[in-house]
Amino acid sequence: MNTQELNKVNLNPHVSVDCVILGYDSNELKVLLIERKYSEENENGQAHNPKLDIALPGNLVRDDEDLDTSAKRILKELTGIDNIYMEQFRAFGNPNRVRKEQDAEWLKTMRTDPQARVITIAYFALVKLEDYVPRADSFARRSEWYPIKKVPKLAFDHNEILEQALQVLKFKVTHYPLGFELLPEKFSLGQLQRLYESILGDDLDKRNFRRKMKSLKLLIPLKEKQQGVAHKPAELYMFNMKVYEQLQGGILK
Amino acid sequence: MNTQELNKVNLNPHVSVDCVILGYDSNELKVLLIERKYSEENENGQAHNPKLDIALPGNLVRDDEDLDTSAKRILKELTGIDNIYMEQFRAFGNPNRVRKEQDAEWLKTMRTDPQARVITIAYFALVKLEDYVPRADSFARRSEWYPIKKVPKLAFDHNEILEQALQVLKFKVTHYPLGFELLPEKFSLGQLQRLYESILGDDLDKRNFRRKMKSLKLLIPLKEKQQGVAHKPAELYMFNMKVYEQLQGGILK
DNA sequence: ACAAAAGTGTTTAATATACACCCATGT
DNA sequence: ACATGGGTGTATATTAAACACTTTTGT
């Protein structure tokens, strides 16, 4: 029995997991979406009526796995992203989650029980975008980072799930110093501030922001500056993992 | 088709809801649990080997209902409690949720598909304990308020669910003024403080606590005092719903 | 008179907010 | 020389924390 057969046998037809993976680049928040191309075949085995569906990475859970494990497996299978910390944030169980005709069609081609009512458990994670350049693994589908502001209509209730994930992020970022999760290893205070501003949708006072961040003792100043910028080059910092973990954990395990 | 038959037809075998209903009385937190008495019958139709199971109120969801609706329905059916605001707080999906032999036995007597792997969506709510005196409705099972510190071993992973609900409460109560939900209509500042102390597991400064509470403008002082207490009688207060709702909503809808 | 909880203010420390100018670099 | 974002300090207001004695009632 290969992996795919095993999956079919063990998949729970009523419970799925969807992953909201957020990254940050070029001063904007992005979300990782998968593009599901599929086409129905006619009696001659030829593809016709090709469709493109854009969705959060997600799938049915297996009956023998924990929800957290399932989320990790599914993300890996669909995008190649491995070994990141994800956090469950909400179950979505509207019986009308499958509203669009296109969703129903897709289910018919992909699921053994396309009529089943599915509850989905939504996960979210913050990643350094640079670490996860979309690539077409043998198993992975085509995945792509979409700027939050340019996210199109998604499958099922995925727009709503994304919306709520952003609310969660907004909340968390004001209570825990999570910004670091989204930035490259070396970053400037300006970058950090712009990140916060784009998450919170609000301007922050530069001097107060810097004082606050420095008071947290989470920044390690590097003796290094930006290169080749048309203004005074910024000092670069690293993030002090040890202090962060001692604080309370937050999103990191 | 009566209600019970309808239920059987429509129940989703893989998704359940469990409710953590918290109350406060005699200076301690309490949780509403149901006692499931059941017995296997032998070939003569006689009951033998009677069992008592204590659990959170919960059951499978119906395929045609929203999770929130399901939680409300199930709570009503099991305890008679109606029309309270409940909030989803987490999905529990450990494949080993059914560990104890007793749980497996119970499932056999109650479920059409006792082997199914079930994910449960946990809800929690705060209620004025005085409003919900357990009573044996025609449909309701025997339910009882248990002091948090005296909760016995519960069915499935219900002890873990309860534990997490208490963490959620602890968090929420430090961010939103929810204490009121748990007190009778008229209460003293001393009662309110003791409530907070028992939730947070920590002593609070009396003068600072009172100043804080008064600054929130959520208390309406009544021209009324405690009666028949062997000390200076406390002023009684009511809770100002309007101001609270304007604040942010919190747990109230 | 005593026990028991209610009620009350002030001082100090910590934290948050508002605000404006000079600096280093590339073009 | 100018445009661009980097970098810095101080004064004021708000909020949090620490702390002890008097009052009212029932027994």
Side-chain angles (χ1 to χ4, degrees):
Chain A
M1 203 152 64
N2 69 26
T3 312
Q4 287 187 310
E5 282 169 326
L6 187 69
N7 275 353
K8 280 206 176 162
V9 176
N10 285 340
L11 288 178
N12 186 317
H14 293 102
V15 183
S16 68
V17 154
D18 285 301
C19 308
V20 181
I21 312 297
L22 299 172
Y24 179 74
D25 185 34
S26 316
N27 294 339
E28 57 183 0
L29 267 181
K30 295 186 174 178
V31 61
L32 191 67
L33 299 174
I34 60 168
E35 300 174 353
R36 311 189 283 200
K37 258 195 222 83
Y38 63 100
S39 41
E40 296 160 47
E41 292 186 0
N42 61 21
E43 55 279 8
N44 305 321
Q46 291 173 310
H48 72 118
N49 196 19
K51 305 265 185 175
L52 178 66
D53 228 36
I54 303 177
L56 295 173
N59 204 350
L60 297 176
V61 307
R62 283 196 338 213
D63 257 347
D64 58 350
E65 70 190 353
D66 194 82
L67 295 173
D68 291 1
T69 311
S70 188
K72 279 182 187 169
R73 172 184 61 79
I74 288 167
L75 187 66
K76 174 83 187 296
E77 284 176 6
L78 291 176
T79 68
I81 293 181
D82 203 359
N83 203 24
I84 63 172
Y85 176 64
M86 287 197 278
E87 191 169 89
Q88 187 200 120
F89 74 93
R90 187 167 192 91
F92 291 80
N94 191 317
N96 304 317
R97 293 184 61 230
V98 181
R99 274 159 316 195
K100 287 163 261 175
E101 209 186 317
Q102 194 170 344
D103 291 336
E105 274 184 41
W106 181 85
L107 289 171
K108 270 185 232 163
T109 68
M110 297 298 289
R111 298 267 167 92
T112 54
D113 185 1
Q115 301 299 330
R117 183 263 179 102
V118 180
I119 276 94
T120 200
I121 315 296
Y123 277 76
F124 102 123
L126 305 179
V127 302
K128 296 188 202 309
L129 192 135
E130 52 178 4
D131 293 349
Y132 300 103
V133 180
R135 61 211 143 93
D137 282 59
S138 47
F139 287 100
R141 289 165 181 283
R142 180 169 157 66
S143 55
E144 202 65 65
W145 290 104
Y146 281 72
I148 290 295
K149 284 169 191 157
K150 292 174 187 162
V151 168
K153 286 235 185 300
L154 304 178
F156 309 113
D157 54 354
H158 289 188
N159 289 99
E160 189 193 341
I161 294 175
L162 173 58
E163 202 46 55
Q164 290 214 28
L166 293 173
Q167 293 302 317
V168 171
L169 174 60
K170 211 162 160 174
F171 179 85
K172 298 199 86 140
V173 94
T174 58
H175 290 80
Y176 311 96
L178 301 178
F180 315 97
E181 307 274 353
L182 289 162
L183 291 176
E185 243 195 301
K186 300 172 181 183
F187 55 87
S188 70
L189 288 174
Q191 276 180 286
L192 187 59
Q193 183 175 347
R194 283 188 294 275
L195 168 60
Y196 272 83
E197 287 173 338
S198 71
I199 291 173
L200 299 175
D202 210 355
D203 287 354
L204 302 170
D205 180 276
K206 193 178 12 169
R207 281 173 287 190
N208 293 336
F209 179 82
R210 293 164 102 90
R211 185 177 21 253
K212 188 69 189 289
M213 284 300 146
K214 285 178 176 169
S215 77
L216 295 175
K217 314 269 183 198
L218 284 168
L219 299 177
I220 304 170
L222 303 171
K223 276 145 197 118
E224 205 176 330
K225 297 189 177 193
Q226 277 182 315
Q227 299 279 327
V229 284
H231 53 75
K232 180 174 177 180
E235 290 286 341
L236 296 181
Y237 294 82
M238 266 183 62
F239 167 48
N240 190 335
M241 273 292 182
K242 279 191 192 157
V243 175
Y244 182 41
E245 279 163 6
Q246 282 160 16
L247 274 182
Q248 17 57 30
I251 201 185
L252 278 185
K253 202 152 16 188
Chain B
M1 200 152 67
N2 68 27
T3 312
Q4 284 185 313
E5 282 169 326
L6 186 69
N7 275 352
K8 281 209 175 158
V9 175
N10 285 341
L11 288 177
N12 187 316
H14 293 103
V15 183
S16 68
V17 154
D18 286 300
C19 308
V20 180
I21 312 298
L22 299 172
Y24 179 74
D25 185 34
S26 316
N27 293 338
E28 56 183 2
L29 267 181
K30 295 185 174 179
V31 60
L32 191 66
L33 299 175
I34 59 168
E35 299 173 354
R36 312 189 282 200
K37 257 195 223 86
Y38 63 98
S39 43
E40 296 160 45
E41 292 186 359
N42 62 21
E43 55 278 5
N44 304 321
Q46 292 174 309
H48 72 118
N49 196 20
K51 304 266 184 174
L52 178 66
D53 227 36
I54 302 176
L56 295 172
N59 204 349
L60 297 175
V61 307
R62 284 196 339 214
D63 257 347
D64 58 351
E65 69 190 353
D66 194 82
L67 294 173
D68 291 2
T69 311
S70 188
K72 280 181 185 166
R73 173 184 61 78
I74 288 167
L75 187 66
K76 175 82 187 295
E77 285 177 5
L78 290 176
T79 69
I81 293 180
D82 204 358
N83 203 26
I84 64 171
Y85 176 64
M86 288 197 279
E87 192 169 270
Q88 189 201 117
F89 73 94
R90 187 168 191 91
F92 291 81
N94 191 316
N96 304 316
R97 292 184 61 232
V98 182
R99 274 161 315 196
K100 286 163 262 173
E101 208 185 317
Q102 194 170 345
D103 292 335
E105 273 183 42
W106 181 85
L107 289 171
K108 269 185 234 162
T109 67
M110 297 297 290
R111 298 268 167 92
T112 55
D113 185 359
Q115 300 299 330
R117 182 264 179 101
V118 180
I119 277 93
T120 201
I121 316 295
Y123 277 75
F124 102 124
L126 306 179
V127 302
K128 295 188 202 310
L129 193 135
E130 52 179 3
D131 292 350
Y132 300 103
V133 180
R135 60 211 144 93
D137 282 58
S138 47
F139 287 99
R141 289 164 182 283
R142 180 168 158 69
S143 56
E144 201 65 64
W145 290 104
Y146 281 73
I148 289 295
K149 284 170 192 159
K150 291 173 189 163
V151 168
K153 285 236 184 300
L154 303 178
F156 309 114
D157 54 354
H158 289 189
N159 290 98
E160 189 193 340
I161 294 175
L162 172 58
E163 202 46 55
Q164 290 214 27
L166 293 173
Q167 293 302 318
V168 170
L169 174 59
K170 210 161 161 175
F171 179 85
K172 298 198 86 139
V173 93
T174 58
H175 291 78
Y176 311 96
L178 303 177
F180 315 97
E181 306 274 352
L182 290 162
L183 291 176
E185 244 195 300
K186 300 173 181 181
F187 54 88
S188 71
L189 288 174
Q191 275 180 285
L192 187 58
Q193 184 175 346
R194 283 188 296 274
L195 168 60
Y196 272 82
E197 288 173 336
S198 72
I199 291 173
L200 299 175
D202 210 355
D203 287 355
L204 302 171
D205 180 276
K206 189 167 33 157
R207 280 172 288 189
N208 293 336
F209 179 82
R210 292 163 102 90
R211 186 180 16 254
K212 187 72 189 288
M213 285 300 147
K214 285 177 176 170
S215 77
L216 295 174
K217 314 271 184 198
L218 285 168
L219 299 177
I220 304 170
L222 303 170
K223 276 147 195 115
E224 206 176 329
K225 297 189 178 192
Q226 278 181 314
Q227 299 279 326
V229 284
H231 55 76
K232 181 173 177 178
E235 290 287 342
L236 296 181
Y237 292 82
M238 264 183 62
F239 165 49
N240 189 335
M241 272 291 184
K242 279 190 191 156
V243 175
Y244 182 41
E245 279 163 7
Q246 282 160 15
L247 273 181
Q248 16 59 25
I251 200 186
L252 277 185
K253 198 137 43 176

